[in-house]
Amino acid sequence: MRTSWSRRTAALTAAMATVLTTVVGVATAEPADDATELREASGRGLAANIRYTEYGVPHIKANDFAGLGYGYGFAAAKDNICVLADTYLTVAAERSRFLGPDAPGSSAYGSARTSLNSDLYFQQVNDSGVVQRSIAPQEPNGPRAEVREIIRGYVAGYNRYLRETGVRGIGDPACRGAAWVRPIAEIDVYRHFHALATLGGQGQVVDGIAAAAPPAAPSAQPAPVPADAADRVRAALGTKDMGSNAIAIGAAGTRNQRGLLLGNPHYPWQGGRRFWQSQLTVPGRLDVSGGSLLGMPLVQIGFNRDVAWSHTVATPTTFGLYQLRLASPTSYLVDGRAEQMTSRVVSVRVRNQDGSLGTVSRTLYSSRYGPMLAPVFGLPLNWTATSAYTIRDANQGNMRGLNTWFGLNQARSTREIVEVLSRTQGVPWVNTIAADQSGRALFADIQVVPHVTDELAARCNTPLGSAIFPSTGLTVLDGSRGDCAWGSDPDALLPGIFGPHRMPVLTRADYVENSNDSAWLANPHAPITGYPRIIGDIGTERDPRTRMGITAIEQQLDRGRFTRQSMQDLLFGDRSWIGEQAAADTAAMCAALPGGRAPTSAGGTVEAGRACAALSRWDRRMTTTSRGGLLFERYWLHVVQAFDGFPQVWRVPFDPADPVRTPHTLDTANPVLPTALGDAIAELAAAGIEPDAPLGRNHYVVRAGATIPVHGGHAVQGVLNMIIPTWDPARGDVDVVHGSSHMQVVSFTGGPCPDAVTLLSYSQSSDPTSAHHTDQTRLFSAGRWVRSRFCEHDIAGAPGLKVVRLRER
C-alpha cells in the first residue's frame, strides 16, 4: 500500500521531535580535533566533525559510519538542498503533483519528456517493490551493514539541515519556500541509487515504458526493419550527457616510479548528476577523499593513501530487448505455452491548471523479461496483433554497487580494486582505471553486463536484432524461445550476467587509458581482445579523444617520465586532435575557394578571407585565449552532422593495424567540407563573432550575473578537456551542458600523504547565494587547481579553516 506524502512527512516530523540534544560548534581558528570527545559523543547518538578547507571542501570525521553519513548528509544539503530535493521529488514520483504533468522530467534520472511520464515510470518502479526487495538481503546482494549505517546517518543529517534552516530559510531561490522540499527517509536514498544504476537501461526508455499499451485496433504484422536501423540506435544511444577520460601511469612511466592517476569525468554541470567533493574518515576503518554524485554518501572517484581510481562511461550495453510472439493482446508464447503479462494500474497525483489536484491512472504491462515498450530509439517496436517488445535491464534491483564503492574506498592496491569489483559485481555502467603506491596501472571493465555471448546473439537475434547488434551491441532476442534467455556464469552473483572472469582487465607498468571507447586499446602495446560484442567492439576506429590521449601520453613518455604537473598540463593543454590533423588543410582549402567565398547549405555564399586567416593562425588549442578555435569547432560540428558515425573525409582510411594514427590526411575535395565551413562562418557572423576572436569571449558561463570564460573543446574535436556547450545563435557558447567536472591528479610518494590536486569545474554549491557557487569555476577558467589536503597536518594548516561539530541524540 502506498504511503501518502502527508502521512510520511508527519511521521518523520514526529520522529524529529524525539531528539533530545543538538549541539553545534563553529570555529574559524585552527582546531584541535578532540578524538575523545567525538568518541564519547558517538556513544550518545550521532556525531560528526566537519572541517571546511579552501573552496568549501568538507573533511568529515566520525567515530562510526552512522556519524559519517550524518555529517555527509548535513554538509551536502547545505550546499545543494534544491538539487537533492528535486532528486527525491523525482524518485518518489511526485513531480506532477507539485510541478504539473507537462513540466519537464528530470534528465538526471531518465529520458522522460514530461513529469507525468517520469512519475508513471517511477511509480511503477515503487509499486513493484523492487527496491525494497533488493535491500532486504544481507551482502553480497543487499547493502552491507556499514553502508546501511552510512545511509541511516545521511538521512538524519539531511533532515537536520532542513529542520534547522526551514524551507522558507533556504538560500537558493530555486526551492526556497517550495512545498515539494520535505524530509526524507532511507528508502528515498535507495531509490535514488536504483535510478542511477538503471540510468543506462530502463532510464533510456522511460517514455516508451510509460506509453506502452495494447492498441485498440492492432495491425496484423510488425513493421519492416528500417535500412538505417543501426544508425537510429547509434544516434539515440550516442546522445548521453556523460563521458570521461582516465589515465593511469605505472612505475615505468613516472619520475618517482610510483603510480599516477588522472581522473576527468565529463558529467552534467546542472542537476542531479553533479559531483560534490569531500573527505570521509572513520579512524582506523576508512580514510578516503574525492568526489561523488550528489546524494551518494560514499566517494565514487577518489583516492586514499595507497590507491587512486576513476571511472569512465563504458561501452557494454547493459540492457536488451525481446520480441514477443503474442497469443492474445496481453499474453505471449514461450516454447509454445501462453504466459499472461502482468499488469499494474499505476496512479499518480497531478496538479491541474486551476491548481486543484487530480489523479492520472494508467495500466502498465510487463513480461517475464521486464516492462513492455512503445517504440523507442526510432525503431518500429509497435505492439501489434502478433508481436510486442519488452526490455530487460541487467541492473534492475542492483544495490550491490553501494557495496562496490564502499569496498573501493577501503582498497589498498590495484589488486584489491579488482578483488572488490569481482566480489561485489555492482558497478552498473562504468570502467575502472586505477594506480597505486607500488606503481601498478589498472584498467578493469568489471561491471554488470547481460550474459549474451556472440553465439547466443547469432542464434536468437530477430531480424531487427541482427541488423543493429553488430554495430551497437543492442540485442533484440526472440522472446518465444526459452533457450534465448540470458545465460549464467558460475562466478556471477546472479543469473543473467557475465561473471568477472569474462570481463576485460589489464595491469601495466607503463600506462592504461580510456576515453569511453571499448577496452581494445586501453594500451595500444597490449590490445585486449576476446570479449563478447555486447561488451564492446574490437578493431574499429577510435574516438578522437582516445587518439589524442594515447598520442599525448606517448609524446610525454618520449620527452621524459610523468610528474603530477605534467599530467595537469596534459589535460589543460586543451589540444584539439582534429585541429592538429585538419586545420592546416582546411585553411589551405579555404584560401583556394573560388572568389574567396564559401558555399552554405542555405544556397548562398559567404566571404571567407578572414576565416581563412584565422584558421591558418589558430594554435590548434581550445584555451580561452586561442583565436580561431570557436570557428573550427563550429565547422567540424557541421562536418560530423553530415555523416552517421565518424566523418568519412580522410584520404587515408582507418587501418586496425595502425589504429591511433589512422584515418588521416583531410580530403579537401570532399564537398561536405567547404559547405560546413561556410555554415560556420555564417553562424559566427550572425552572432556578431569575429572569426579570430579569443575563445573565452564567446565560450563562457554566466553565474550569479558574472561572465566566466571557459576553456576546453567539444568531443568531436578530440579535446581531452571536453566541454559540450550550449550554442546561442545570437551570442555563441553561453553555457555548459556537460564536460570536465570533478578532476583529480593523484601522485603517490611512498608516504601516507598523496601529492594530489583536484578541481570541481562548477564549484561545490548549486546555490547562487553560496560563497562556493563560483569559486572553483573561476579557478577552472584560469587553469588553476586546488591543493588536496588529505593528511591531518595539511587539513589543520588550511587558511581560514572552519569547523562544524554536529551532535544529535
Side-chain angles (χ1 to χ4, degrees):
M1 180 178 177
R2 184 179 176 192
T3 301
S4 72
W5 186 288
S6 59
R7 286 174 56 196
R8 178 169 54 179
T9 303
L12 286 165
T13 303
M16 291 175 190
T18 65
V19 175
L20 300 176
T21 306
T22 301
V23 179
V24 178
V26 179
T28 55
E30 179 176 317
D33 187 12
D34 189 344
T36 301
E37 190 278 332
L38 181 61
R39 184 168 58 251
E40 291 175 351
S42 298
R44 297 188 295 268
L46 294 168
N49 290 348
I50 307 173
R51 294 172 291 174
Y52 287 97
T53 56
E54 301 98 315
Y55 305 101
V57 177
H59 303 256
I60 303 165
K61 179 178 282 190
N63 198 58
D64 54 36
F65 289 107
L68 191 69
Y70 180 58
Y72 188 105
F74 183 92
K78 180 178 74 69
D79 282 343
N80 295 284
I81 184 65
C82 292
V83 175
L84 288 167
D86 183 78
T87 291
Y88 303 127
L89 179 73
T90 299
V91 299
E94 294 276 359
R95 297 184 68 85
S96 298
R97 175 180 178 180
F98 291 96
L99 308 180
D102 297 326
S106 171
S107 62
Y109 307 108
S111 59
R113 292 192 302 270
T114 66
S115 286
L116 178 59
N117 278 357
S118 175
D119 290 343
L120 289 167
Y121 168 75
F122 280 108
Q123 192 60 55
Q124 63 89 21
V125 171
N126 297 344
D127 289 348
S128 75
V130 62
V131 175
Q132 289 89 334
R133 289 194 302 275
S134 65
I135 63 176
Q138 299 302 308
E139 64 172 320
N141 287 322
R144 59 188 291 170
E146 299 94 333
V147 167
R148 295 177 191 270
E149 283 295 285
I150 290 171
I151 289 176
R152 179 174 71 86
Y154 170 87
V155 169
Y158 177 97
N159 288 341
R160 169 171 174 172
Y161 174 80
L162 186 57
R163 180 173 71 252
E164 290 188 350
T165 305
V167 176
R168 296 185 183 279
I170 292 172
D172 191 343
C175 69
R176 184 188 304 134
W180 47 269
V181 180
R182 45 89 178 177
I184 62 171
E186 290 173 36
I187 192 64
D188 292 299
V189 183
Y190 290 118
R191 285 172 174 169
H192 176 199
F193 181 79
H194 190 260
L196 286 171
T198 55
L199 181 65
Q202 290 184 180
Q204 298 197 69
V205 294
V206 171
D207 291 324
I209 292 173
S219 60
Q221 297 296 329
V225 176
D228 63 344
D231 294 336
R232 297 183 188 189
V233 173
R234 276 197 303 269
L237 298 183
T239 57
K240 298 174 183 177
D241 55 354
M242 295 188 297
S244 341
N245 306 307
I247 299 170
I249 309 294
T254 59
R255 186 172 296 175
N256 67 1
Q257 299 182 19
R258 297 188 180 275
L260 172 68
L261 180 86
L262 166 68
N264 175 218
H266 303 148
Y267 275 53
W269 278 36
Q270 293 87 22
R273 277 178 281 134
R274 284 172 58 113
F275 278 94
W276 186 72
Q277 296 174 292
S278 66
Q279 182 175 2
L280 306 178
T281 304
V282 176
R285 302 188 69 185
L286 184 75
D287 194 10
V288 63
S289 183
S292 53
L293 297 180
L294 279 176
M296 292 292 105
L298 295 161
V299 169
Q300 293 179 294
I301 289 177
F303 63 94
N304 55 41
R305 62 176 290 167
D306 294 310
V307 66
W309 77 96
S310 192
H311 297 296
T312 57
V313 177
T315 58
T317 306
T318 59
F319 67 100
L321 306 184
Y322 278 89
Q323 183 176 4
L324 304 181
R325 184 182 304 169
L326 298 183
S328 74
T330 57
S331 66
Y332 56 98
L333 299 172
V334 179
D335 294 334
R337 301 183 62 179
E339 290 188 12
Q340 190 67 32
M341 296 177 190
T342 59
S343 64
R344 179 179 290 111
V345 177
V346 178
S347 298
V348 298
R349 299 280 278 170
V350 301
R351 188 186 69 192
N352 297 320
Q353 290 186 348
D354 63 2
S356 64
L357 288 179
T359 300
V360 171
S361 296
R362 190 174 296 172
T363 301
L364 300 181
Y365 295 85
S366 294
S367 71
R368 61 158 63 182
Y369 306 107
M372 300 301 295
L373 283 177
V376 294
F377 305 144
L379 299 177
L381 308 180
N382 304 78
W383 195 328
T384 72
T386 58
S387 71
Y389 293 85
T390 184
I391 181 173
R392 183 175 180 184
D393 188 338
N395 280 301
Q396 179 81 345
N398 178 9
M399 287 293 156
R400 303 179 307 280
L402 293 167
N403 298 336
T404 301
W405 273 291
F406 184 86
L408 294 178
N409 288 191
Q410 290 188 315
R412 287 293 176 262
S413 67
T414 56
R415 289 192 181 98
E416 287 192 22
I417 292 279
V418 173
E419 190 276 328
V420 167
L421 296 173
S422 301
R423 172 170 45 83
T424 59
Q425 298 175 33
V427 170
W429 32 257
V430 291
N431 306 300
T432 303
I433 292 84
D436 64 15
Q437 283 272 24
S438 298
R440 288 183 290 265
L442 169 72
F443 169 88
D445 187 12
I446 301 175
Q447 65 161 91
V448 176
V449 182
H451 194 294
V452 178
T453 63
D454 292 347
E455 183 276 330
L456 177 64
R459 176 166 48 86
C460 290
N461 258 323
T462 66
L464 176 59
S466 296
I468 65 177
F469 177 73
S471 61
T472 68
L474 177 61
T475 57
V476 185
L477 302 181
D478 185 347
S480 70
R481 295 167 51 188
D483 66 339
C484 291
W486 294 352
S488 295
D489 278 335
D491 59 338
L493 289 177
L494 296 173
I497 62 174
F498 281 121
H501 80 281
R502 299 260 199 162
M503 308 303 291
V505 176
L506 179 66
T507 299
R508 298 279 297 182
D510 51 358
Y511 72 89
V512 295
E513 70 82 42
N514 186 263
S515 294
N516 309 125
D517 272 320
S518 70
W520 179 45
L521 288 190
N523 182 299
H525 305 294
I528 307 173
T529 59
Y531 47 85
R533 173 61 188 87
I534 197 170
I535 291 177
D537 50 16
I538 297 169
T540 61
E541 185 174 341
R542 300 292 91 176
D543 184 89
R545 275 189 297 118
T546 296
R547 299 169 68 191
M548 182 78 265
I550 292 172
T551 300
I553 293 167
E554 296 278 357
Q555 289 173 343
Q556 176 60 41
L557 292 175
D558 287 343
R559 290 191 295 269
R561 292 171 178 250
F562 270 93
T563 64
R564 172 179 58 76
Q565 185 62 55
S566 63
M567 185 63 80
Q568 293 172 239
D569 295 343
L570 183 150
L571 180 63
F572 279 2
D574 293 318
R575 291 170 61 184
S576 166
W577 173 261
I578 298 296
E580 292 180 6
Q581 308 307 307
D585 287 337
T586 299
M589 175 194 74
C590 183
L593 288 169
R597 300 187 67 83
T600 69
S601 57
T605 62
V606 291
E607 195 278 326
R610 297 183 63 191
C612 302
L615 289 172
S616 66
R617 291 194 293 264
W618 177 43
D619 61 6
R620 284 45 164 173
R621 298 176 185 267
M622 294 294 284
T623 69
T624 56
T625 58
S626 293
R627 294 177 177 271
L630 185 57
L631 170 64
F632 186 85
E633 180 161 292
R634 297 305 301 175
Y635 154 65
W636 202 255
L637 280 167
H638 285 292
V639 173
V640 171
Q641 289 165 5
F643 294 89
D644 292 317
F646 292 120
Q648 303 303 305
V649 292
W650 306 100
R651 294 184 185 276
V652 178
F654 170 73
D655 180 356
D658 190 10
V660 178
R661 294 195 309 126
T662 60
H664 64 74
T665 311
L666 193 67
D667 180 7
T668 54
N670 191 309
V672 166
L673 299 177
T675 302
L677 180 59
D679 285 345
I681 295 170
E683 279 184 330
L684 265 61
I689 301 171
E690 298 294 333
D692 63 348
L695 178 69
R697 186 179 297 171
N698 304 99
H699 193 259
Y700 58 83
V701 296
V702 178
R703 299 290 183 266
T707 299
I708 304 174
V710 172
H711 62 109
H714 201 286
V716 300
Q717 284 203 70
V719 180
L720 293 179
N721 178 28
M722 191 184 85
I723 294 293
I724 305 299
T726 299
W727 173 257
D728 181 338
R731 294 179 294 163
D733 291 329
V734 298
D735 208 335
V736 174
V737 179
H738 68 109
S740 290
S741 49
H742 168 67
M743 292 160 274
Q744 61 176 21
V745 179
V746 183
S747 174
F748 290 103
T749 63
C753 306
D755 177 18
V757 292
T758 67
L759 189 61
L760 189 61
S761 58
Y762 37 68
S763 305
Q764 282 281 80
S765 178
S766 55
D767 177 359
T769 69
S770 168
H772 305 299
H773 180 61
T774 63
D775 50 358
Q776 291 197 61
T777 310
R778 294 182 183 280
L779 289 182
F780 177 67
S781 176
R784 296 167 54 199
W785 297 70
V786 178
R787 173 191 173 192
S788 181
R789 297 181 180 274
F790 183 78
C791 285
E792 285 295 324
H793 67 274
D794 289 324
I795 298 169
L801 183 71
K802 176 181 178 182
V803 182
V804 176
R805 295 180 173 87
L806 298 176
R807 308 289 184 266
E808 185 170 322
R809 295 186 182 181

